[in-house]
Amino acid sequence: MGFFTKDIKTMTDLFMHGLQDLFYAENQIAKSLPDMIEKATNPQLRAGFEKHLKETEGQISRLEQVFELLDAEAKGEKCPAIDGILKEGSELMGEIADEDVMNVGLVAAAQAVEHYEMTRYGALIAWASELGRGDCVPLLKASLAEEKATDQKLTALAERRVNPEGEKKSGNGKKPAKRAASTARRTRKAQARPAKAKRNGGKKARRRA
Ligand SMILES: [Fe+2]
Ligand SMILES: [Fe+2]
């Protein structure tokens, strides 16, 4: 960006800048994921990262398709936000020795990345629509859906699987107590059902009589 001139003058410029920014971000994420895969010892987390690496490669190619639709060269613009998020994540990983704690830290670091991506895709979809570039929208929406799904899976892992505190809770915590109560309710209902059927059967029998 020039000192005396501002490079982003129009919404089209802003859209292009956003695409270049995200193109850079996705490429940096693709470079970081192998390291996260290596550090993840939880099998589901590891498999999730492996899947998302493949998705990220697909997202890079979708962005290339968007550039193509716009007759523009696919190139990245250095994005300090994603550099900072990834740097903070890798620094944190360097501070953790315990495997369980590492898995929890990896989930949180990955969610910071997903949330960043979701805001960027959301903005680009809105701007593409505003600029009458509906042809770009499905490509951007497909990637946004993958980021959201990844974020949801990470939340589920954080709550139920990866978090060692959560695992402990499953032995004597609040949630299992709730589950036990609902199982007891289901059992009572199931026990009540034959009696109801019997009553209905009785009515039918009376009607038939
Ligand atoms: Fe992505
Ligand atoms: Fe992502």
Side-chain angles (χ1 to χ4, degrees):
M1 196 172 286
F3 190 73
F4 295 106
T5 58
K6 293 190 189 298
D7 294 339
I8 300 172
K9 296 184 179 75
T10 65
M11 277 306 296
T12 304
D13 296 339
L14 186 64
F15 181 51
M16 190 54 69
H17 173 81
L19 283 171
Q20 290 170 348
D21 185 285
L22 193 50
F23 189 66
Y24 173 87
E26 291 289 17
N27 276 285
Q28 294 309 110
I29 293 162
K31 279 183 203 160
S32 298
L33 273 164
D35 194 31
M36 294 169 85
I37 290 166
E38 202 182 298
K39 288 196 169 75
T41 54
N42 177 284
Q44 283 173 292
L45 181 60
R46 196 185 176 104
F49 282 157
E50 280 166 352
K51 182 174 185 248
H52 201 52
L53 175 56
K54 284 198 188 80
E55 285 175 339
T56 301
E57 284 158 1
Q59 291 165 2
I60 291 168
S61 104
R62 280 194 202 109
L63 286 173
E64 284 167 350
Q65 290 173 60
V66 172
F67 281 115
E68 212 175 301
L69 286 169
L70 299 167
D71 282 323
E73 182 200 346
K75 61 169 189 171
E77 170 90 17
K78 195 169 166 54
C79 166
I82 199 68
D83 283 342
I85 291 168
L86 293 172
K87 187 167 178 264
E88 188 180 37
S90 81
E91 280 175 4
L92 182 73
M93 298 310 116
E95 306 274 329
I96 301 173
D98 182 89
E99 281 187 2
D100 290 335
V101 178
M102 176 68 86
N103 287 323
V104 176
L106 282 168
V107 168
Q111 283 196 289
V113 173
E114 296 315 305
H115 282 229
Y116 172 76
E117 292 180 287
M118 280 152 62
T119 65
R120 297 294 87 200
Y121 277 110
L124 287 173
I125 289 164
W127 296 342
S129 305
E130 194 181 324
L131 291 165
R133 295 307 310 230
D135 51 345
C136 303
V137 171
L139 289 160
L140 298 168
K141 276 192 173 172
S143 296
L144 176 61
E146 286 173 354
E147 311 295 21
K148 281 184 180 172
T150 303
D151 179 52
Q152 281 164 7
K153 280 180 208 154
L154 287 165
T155 298
L157 271 177
E159 286 175 351
R160 293 181 216 129
R161 307 264 177 228
V162 165
N163 190 332
E165 289 305 309
E167 290 290 305
K168 273 179 214 156
K169 270 187 191 170
S170 68
N172 44 20
K174 213 176 174 183
K175 280 183 182 173
K178 273 188 186 169
R179 266 203 297 279
S182 78
T183 307
R185 270 198 302 279
R186 276 200 302 276
T187 310
R188 281 198 298 278
K189 275 187 187 169
Q191 280 165 350
R193 244 173 258 135
K196 203 179 168 189
K198 212 175 174 183
R199 275 202 308 278
N200 291 343
K203 268 184 201 168
K204 273 179 200 162
R206 273 197 298 281
R207 252 179 250 135
R208 269 201 300 273

